[in-house]
Amino acid sequence: GSRIAVIGGGPTGSLFSIFALKMAKLAGTELHVTIYEPKDFSRSGPAGCNHCGGIISELLVQTLAMEGINLPDSIVQRGINSYRLHTNYGNVLIETPSAEKTIATVYRGGGPIGIIGTEKESFDRFLLSKAVDEGAAHHALKIDGVSYRNGKPVLFSKGHDVQDADLVVGAFGVNSSTANIFEGIGFGYKAPVTVTAAVAEISMDNSVLAERFGSSIHLFLLPVKSIQFAAIIPKETFATVCILGKGLNSGSLSSFLDHPIVRDVLPQNAPYEIKCRCLPKMNIRAPKIPFADRVVMCGDAGSTRLLKDGIGAAYIMGKAAAKTAVFEGVGREHFEAGYFPVYQSIVNDNRYGVFLYKVIETYRRWRILTGAMLEVVKKEQRSAGSEKILSSVLWDMFTGNERFKNVFFKSLKVRMHLDMWEGLFKVLRRGAL
């Protein structure tokens, strides 16, 4: 008979709800779960937008299937089996290390105007509908206040009481102002530290998109001060542009698209059009205190994978929070014992990610290092039987298929560093000639 209020109907909120209801049934317990999500993910354009690139790994697809969540073909916009890495030194194709590490592109929300309809499905809408099928209620309300009354949290919307809850799950994104509500409760929660990204949707004919991009995500490491790295992600009739860096603004997208290396990738003699653009925030540092009595923060509101694989992190954290609540309890001490170790494992793993991104940033800035990296990757891609260490490191970094800690230790292999010295020598010799 306990009542759970979930603020946010994205992947974290939906997955928490699915797992909490499934686990409650296993335990013979009846729960009432209500998801508060004002956005309509069945609508394309800003009304259903979720500000993201939309990449999901084959490993996560298989993991969700094992949990009884089978993604329909209508969700997948395009299957991806390779990266094309573009630099000021040249470009190289990096193929997937294995079939289990392929990825697919999806639209989290409704996508650009007209893209989601009878034949195509929003990933977030699908998960939310699965949560409702499992027994959750969905209310299209924006929660603008939470406070404690008689030891339990109470939700408010437009000044009116909405619900008394036995547990409130904060599963909202960092692009909303909902974090301010929980900061005001006074248990020590602070909104995650964020960085601004630049995202845009470019429309083009399906045949042109297939010809120019194929089944590859095009990744750019350019010597542009404000851009750390950027990607063009092919879908069906749109390509999503995602740019990460420092000090990005409304002009960053135009500057990127005008770069000679980028212009060579875009269609030369066919029309394309920027349909929408935005400057979303991304969580880069998790809050230190993500829970209190009867309150827990998950997903982007808590800890998530650094710059990658937010959907995978939503699965991990949503399930961990549900397991703790159903089988252990909803007090601060229960979340401290059952939820926080999982939460902290992502925080700790992201520290390896910070270091690895700094290494990539160093290689991006120095042409000689960029050249050496490309020489090694080209050598690995040509050799059918060799261990493709650097190629695998780059694939796992950019897809989020692997934990940063595992990528870090893979990057320490002596063979790769010997190859890097060989590549560096080739670049120096070519420069001398």
Side-chain angles (χ1 to χ4, degrees), residues 389 409-421:
I389 304 172
F409 283 108
K410 188 187 295 183
S411 72
L412 298 181
K413 289 188 176 183
V414 175
R415 177 71 261 168
M416 188 189 80
H417 291 277
L418 291 175
D419 287 343
M420 281 297 299
W421 279 106

Side-chain angles (χ1 to χ4, degrees), residues 70 108 118 126 143 168 170 172 193 216 220 226 257 260 266 280 300 322 365 407 413 425 432:
N70 295 292
R108 285 272 317 278
T118 55
F126 168 76
I143 300 300
V168 172
F172 48 86
V193 177
S216 299
F220 299 84
S226 62
L257 295 177
L266 292 170
D300 276 358
R365 288 184 176 183
V407 177
K413 289 188 176 183
F425 177 74

Side-chain angles (χ1 to χ4, degrees), residues 186-256:
F187 65 87
Y189 174 78
K190 298 293 182 184
V193 177
T194 61
V195 66
T196 299
V199 177
E201 297 288 349
I202 301 178
S203 70
M204 62 187 75
D205 187 83
N206 182 277
S207 60
V208 174
L209 195 146
E211 177 189 347
R212 299 299 298 180
F213 299 98
S215 56
S216 299
I217 289 177
H218 289 249
L219 188 75
F220 299 84
L221 294 178
L222 304 175
V224 179
K225 186 177 181 181
S226 62
I227 298 177
Q228 186 176 1
F229 63 87
I232 299 180
I233 304 165
K235 294 184 177 172
E236 188 158 304
T237 55
F238 283 82
T240 303
V241 178
C242 293
I243 305 173
L244 297 176
K246 295 181 179 179
L248 297 179
N249 54 44
S250 57
S252 300
L253 177 69
S254 298
S255 299
F256 170 72

Side-chain angles (χ1 to χ4, degrees), residues 101-418:
K101 291 196 172 186
T102 57
I103 54 180
T105 60
V106 301
Y107 278 113
R108 285 272 317 278
I113 292 290
I115 194 66
I116 296 297
T118 55
E119 295 182 359
K120 285 297 175 184
E121 173 83 86
S122 156
F123 180 82
D124 285 19
R125 198 211 71 80
F126 168 76
L127 279 187
L128 183 56
S129 68
K130 292 294 288 185
V132 171
D133 290 345
E134 199 63 47
H138 170 218
H139 289 177
L141 282 178
K142 180 176 176 58
I143 300 300
D144 53 26
V146 177
S147 64
Y148 281 100
R149 185 167 62 199
N150 299 324
K152 289 187 178 182
V154 183
L155 278 63
F156 297 87
S157 180
K158 297 180 179 179
H160 299 288
D161 290 24
V162 172
Q163 180 184 356
D164 294 354
D166 296 287
L167 171 65
V168 172
V169 180
F172 48 86
V174 291
N175 290 290
S176 76
S177 60
T178 310
N180 299 332
I181 299 171
F182 290 90
E183 287 182 344
I185 295 177
F187 65 87
Y189 174 78
K190 298 293 182 184
V193 177
T194 61
V195 66
T196 299
V199 177
E201 297 288 349
I202 301 178
S203 70
M204 62 187 75
D205 187 83
N206 182 277
S207 60
V208 174
L209 195 146
E211 177 189 347
R212 299 299 298 180
F213 299 98
S215 56
S216 299
I217 289 177
H218 289 249
L219 188 75
F220 299 84
L221 294 178
L222 304 175
V224 179
K225 186 177 181 181
S226 62
I227 298 177
Q228 186 176 1
F229 63 87
I232 299 180
I233 304 165
K235 294 184 177 172
E236 188 158 304
T237 55
F238 283 82
T240 303
V241 178
C242 293
I243 305 173
L244 297 176
K246 295 181 179 179
L248 297 179
N249 54 44
S250 57
S252 300
L253 177 69
S254 298
S255 299
F256 170 72
L257 295 177
D258 285 340
H259 194 283
I261 293 175
V262 181
R263 285 205 308 267
D264 285 344
V265 174
L266 292 170
Q268 305 295 310
N269 301 309
Y272 59 88
E273 182 182 358
I274 300 173
K275 286 291 188 180
C276 60
R277 63 177 80 193
C278 62
L279 297 169
K281 297 176 182 177
M282 298 185 74
N283 177 336
I284 59 169
R285 192 180 308 151
K288 292 183 178 180
I289 303 175
F291 49 77
D293 285 341
R294 302 184 183 276
V295 173
V296 62
M297 317 304 288
C298 301
D300 276 358
S303 67
T304 189
R305 298 286 305 282
L306 180 65
L307 304 181
K308 293 292 174 184
D309 194 31
I311 300 174
Y315 164 76
I316 294 170
M317 300 315 302
K319 186 174 183 179
K323 182 179 178 182
T324 301
V326 173
F327 293 116
E328 298 179 41
V330 295
R332 184 186 186 96
E333 69 276 13
H334 301 117
F335 290 119
E336 179 96 43
Y339 176 70
F340 193 60
V342 182
Y343 183 96
Q344 196 63 30
S345 71
I346 290 185
V347 173
N348 293 336
D349 190 60
N350 282 344
R351 294 191 175 106
Y352 289 94
V354 170
F355 174 79
L356 289 167
Y357 281 121
K358 285 182 178 178
V359 172
I360 291 175
E361 175 69 4
T362 302
Y363 275 66
R364 180 187 70 83
R365 288 184 176 183
W366 294 88
R367 179 182 171 90
I368 188 172
L369 294 177
T370 303
M373 178 178 67
L374 253 66
E375 289 290 341
V376 175
V377 174
K378 287 177 180 178
K379 177 184 175 182
E380 290 179 345
Q381 294 297 309
R382 286 194 304 264
S383 305
S386 66
E387 185 180 8
K388 298 175 175 59
I389 304 172
L390 181 55
S391 297
S392 180
V393 165
L394 292 172
W395 180 271
D396 289 334
M397 278 296 296
F398 298 136
T399 62
N401 260 314
E402 189 62 80
R403 291 175 65 87
F404 288 122
K405 181 179 179 180
N406 296 341
V407 177
F408 171 78
F409 283 108
K410 188 187 295 183
S411 72
L412 298 181
K413 289 188 176 183
V414 175
R415 177 71 261 168
M416 188 189 80
H417 291 277
L418 291 175

